[in-house]
Amino acid sequence: MTYEPFFIKGADRPGRWLITCDHATNVVPPFVGGGDLGLPAADMQRHIAYDPGAYAVSTLLGEMLDAPVVASNFSRLVIDPNRGEDDPTLLMQLYDGTIIPANRQADIAERKSRLDRCYRPYHAALAELAARPDTILISVHSFTPQLRGRAPRPWEIGILYPEDEGFSPHLIKVLQQPGDLCVGINEPYTGYLPGDAIDTHGTKMGRPNSLIELRNDLIADTAGQRLWAQRLAEVLPQALAASQL
């Protein structure tokens, strides 16, 4: 079977939303170390390799909003599609206390191969879908409840966005209204990373956007994934109406 670096679901769906999942899988393509980064299988199941649950939520959300979905089909440890090409963390050598053996040996030629065969095709597909008029870009991620040696993370959902972005503040307000959610504002990460996927295809292009982080223990099974997809499918249109975008 021919390797494909991305998935597209519902390319012809008419919704304004474009749902993206940058860290959808833990796949290591056969041309990268013979399909092996030198990590134990248990590490490849951790958040360091992908965003557990995020792809399932993305696909369900796309169905509920009648919107297209584009997702990467390579581990973030192969090359991180949510980093700019000049970002020093594009090929991580150490992540949450784990050394990535294959990346310690990666030279310029290997980096270029991964860019050309994984990263750039994914971004080209994303750009093509995002070019439709009035696109609102929603990037779905997940985060671990606790990094090694760090304090537990209390947020159930985090909304990441750059200063002056017009949609996300409305989304945060809608999420906070019931009062039963712990909503992180630019948590557990900063909301602006120059050259990342949202910056490249959303902010720089003047498109409304939001990066949504879901705590991965809440979307670890089918029930949790559907619950959060339904919740997002309800609040995103409410936020859009409030934003008048």
Side-chain angles (χ1 to χ4, degrees):
M1 184 178 295
T2 303
Y3 169 75
E4 296 291 343
F6 57 86
F7 305 111
I8 294 177
K9 302 286 187 181
D12 297 327
R13 291 173 184 162
R16 281 187 67 184
W17 311 95
L18 173 58
I19 313 302
T20 71
C21 190
D22 298 326
H23 301 142
T25 78
N26 59 358
V27 169
V28 181
F31 51 82
V32 177
D36 189 347
L37 293 172
L39 287 172
D43 278 333
M44 292 302 298
Q45 297 300 319
R46 294 174 56 214
H47 70 281
I48 63 171
Y50 74 122
D51 282 352
Y55 182 49
V57 173
S58 298
T59 56
L60 289 167
L61 182 59
E63 292 171 3
M64 293 173 186
L65 293 176
D66 202 15
V69 179
V70 59
S72 69
N73 186 31
F74 50 92
S75 171
R76 71 190 339 152
L77 298 179
V78 170
I79 192 165
D80 194 332
N82 197 34
R83 296 291 184 271
E85 290 195 16
D86 60 349
D87 193 302
T89 64
L90 187 68
L91 266 68
M92 292 289 284
Q93 297 186 9
L94 177 69
Y95 195 167
D96 193 20
T98 297
I99 294 171
I100 319 304
N103 289 355
R104 294 184 70 184
Q105 310 300 325
D107 57 14
I108 293 174
E110 176 65 18
R111 180 180 180 278
K112 183 179 186 303
S113 173
R114 298 188 198 182
L115 281 168
D116 289 343
R117 301 172 80 172
C118 296
Y119 181 103
R120 288 169 179 157
Y122 170 66
H123 279 276
L126 200 167
E128 183 175 354
L129 288 169
R132 301 191 317 178
D134 299 327
T135 294
I136 305 168
L137 187 61
I138 301 297
S139 185
V140 179
H141 293 248
S142 71
F143 65 96
T144 185
Q146 186 174 12
L147 292 173
R148 289 178 175 175
R150 305 286 184 88
R153 291 160 156 177
W155 313 284
E156 294 162 282
I157 183 171
I159 304 300
L160 279 57
Y161 66 102
E163 186 178 0
D164 298 328
E165 197 285 313
F167 172 73
S168 291
H170 296 281
L171 178 56
I172 291 167
K173 186 174 181 180
V174 172
L175 284 166
Q176 289 176 330
Q177 280 176 355
D180 60 343
L181 282 180
C182 185
V183 181
I185 301 174
N186 286 323
E187 296 287 1
Y189 311 107
T190 180
Y192 179 69
L193 183 64
D196 70 5
I198 281 283
D199 182 44
T200 299
H201 301 284
T203 304
K204 286 180 178 175
M205 305 301 290
R207 296 183 181 113
N209 63 81
S210 191
L211 192 155
I212 298 174
E213 289 274 2
L214 298 170
R215 207 175 68 211
N216 65 27
D217 61 318
L218 302 177
I219 54 171
D221 57 25
T222 301
Q225 292 155 5
R226 182 165 291 277
L227 174 67
W228 277 94
Q230 289 174 334
R231 177 171 271 170
L232 292 174
E234 293 171 2
V235 300
L236 286 168
Q238 292 175 32
L240 179 58
S243 72
Q244 300 183 338
L245 291 168

